[in-house]
Amino acid sequence: MSTQELVTLNVGGKIFTTRSSTIKQFPASRLTQMLDGRDQEFKMIGGQIFVDRDGVLFSFILDFLRTHQLLLPTDFSDYPRLQREALFYELDPLVDLLNQEHLLPPRPVLVEVHFLSRNTQAFFRVFGSCSKTIEMLTGRITMFIEQPSAAPTWSNNCFPPQMTLLPLPPQRPSYHDLVFQCGSDSSTDNQTGIRYVSIKPDNRKLANGTNVLGLLIDTLLMEDFHLVSTRTVSSEDKTECYSFERIKRPEALTMNKTWKTGTTLMPQQSEKKK
């Protein structure tokens, strides 16, 4: 590559080096006019083109020029300033991308797990700000109740009845919470009341509340939730609360190749780390 194919910009004191073709791919932009010498606001100083603008924000603009994607950090909040810079450089496709509603600051997804341990029973109630999270957990959690099987007619009840496990889904009091329990549960309908809990993809059937709590926490952690706080709701009945938070992954907005004849934009989910 010859040195003529490279251009060095000094934007607000930050140095950027890239291909001239990267800068000139939008003929109507001021960046193209800058390289062609048609915009006198940009000065050549010591072999570098000096641009008296924000250098930090220009790094996002240069990344857009290289990839045709706008992928911002999760905690990015300078949308109006970045849009102002895009307007200054007259990069209309980038301005349109910044107008997308997908770029609104993401709201965290919140989950609270209430755990009550009482004698040989454990009760769980999970609250979620996003109903999809509750639906995901509902599909993974199954309760099992031990039931005596019907005794064979030829046995004359000489042997203890065998036990079968009846699967039950968690209860859904509302779209935003679910309830389930495990451990011994005396009942009056000839059921033994032993409740087990299984959480996919783990195949174990757990009757110990502490083990179920640990598995439930592991499940949320694998879904990119982070434990942010724990507290004791009631010391008398041993109720504990675990609060989780998940920030949505940043989304990349991609410019369609038909931008020259009409700006057509489409959102594209960034690749997840495996």
Side-chain angles (χ1 to χ4, degrees):
M1 182 184 303
S2 67
T3 56
Q4 294 181 349
E5 295 179 359
L6 298 179
V7 58
T8 298
L9 306 178
N10 182 336
V11 184
K14 291 187 174 295
I15 308 301
F16 301 90
T17 300
T18 186
R19 298 170 183 263
S20 60
S21 58
T22 300
I23 296 294
K24 296 176 66 174
Q25 59 187 303
F26 297 100
S29 73
R30 293 189 69 183
L31 291 171
T32 297
Q33 298 174 28
M34 171 188 69
L35 290 189
D36 292 342
R38 292 179 286 135
D39 195 319
Q40 300 302 315
E41 183 172 342
F42 305 99
K43 303 295 184 181
M44 180 72 72
I45 301 176
Q48 301 175 354
I49 300 176
F50 178 73
V51 184
D52 191 15
R53 304 296 295 188
D54 191 308
V56 174
L57 293 178
F58 187 78
S59 64
F60 298 113
I61 292 175
L62 183 57
D63 184 66
F64 167 76
L65 293 174
R66 289 168 171 166
T67 66
H68 289 184
Q69 287 189 337
L70 181 62
L71 181 58
L72 301 174
T74 303
D75 57 352
F76 185 83
S77 59
D78 286 341
Y79 296 98
R81 294 180 61 223
L82 183 56
Q83 187 174 51
R84 183 182 65 190
E85 296 301 295
L87 287 168
F88 172 80
Y89 293 112
E90 298 180 6
L91 288 170
D92 293 339
L94 179 57
V95 173
D96 290 337
L97 283 180
L98 286 165
N99 286 332
Q100 296 292 312
E101 62 181 1
H102 304 281
L103 292 177
L104 292 175
R107 294 182 179 180
V109 178
L110 305 177
V111 170
E112 279 195 356
V113 176
H114 289 238
F115 170 58
L116 167 61
S117 178
R118 181 182 298 165
N119 297 326
T120 58
Q121 291 179 277
F123 299 86
F124 295 85
R125 187 159 194 169
V126 182
F127 300 88
S129 62
C130 177
S131 61
K132 291 184 179 180
T133 302
I134 300 301
E135 291 175 2
M136 178 273 294
L137 291 174
T138 300
R140 293 192 181 188
I141 298 173
T142 305
M143 293 185 299
F144 295 89
I145 299 180
E146 283 189 345
Q147 279 188 318
S149 301
T153 55
W154 51 267
S155 66
N156 295 323
N157 295 327
C158 295
F159 301 98
Q162 294 182 349
M163 306 304 295
T164 59
L165 294 178
L166 175 66
L168 296 173
Q171 300 175 21
R172 290 288 301 275
S174 72
Y175 287 109
H176 292 278
D177 65 331
L178 61 87
V179 178
F180 64 94
Q181 67 183 86
C182 65
S184 301
D185 180 20
S186 59
S187 58
T188 58
D189 55 359
N190 295 325
Q191 293 183 0
T192 64
I194 301 296
R195 291 174 181 257
Y196 302 93
V197 171
S198 177
I199 303 178
K200 296 177 182 177
D202 194 295
N203 294 321
R204 292 175 297 171
K205 295 178 176 61
L206 304 174
N208 182 287
T210 303
N211 293 341
V212 174
L213 176 63
L215 184 56
L216 179 59
I217 291 176
D218 287 344
T219 300
L220 290 171
L221 294 178
M222 287 189 293
E223 291 294 322
D224 295 329
F225 282 91
H226 302 278
L227 180 64
V228 294
S229 67
T230 60
R231 69 180 189 274
T232 301
V233 179
S234 173
S235 58
E236 295 181 358
D237 57 8
K238 299 181 180 179
T239 302
E240 301 172 356
C241 176
Y242 298 80
S243 299
F244 297 83
E245 180 181 276
R246 180 178 67 189
I247 302 295
K248 292 182 179 179
R249 293 184 177 91
E251 190 175 74
L253 297 182
T254 303
M255 185 187 68
N256 194 288
K257 293 182 179 179
T258 60
W259 64 270
K260 290 185 178 180
T261 56
T263 304
T264 303
L265 307 172
M266 56 182 293
Q268 174 174 310
Q269 186 66 33
S270 58
E271 293 183 0
K272 299 181 179 179
K273 295 181 179 180
K274 297 183 180 179

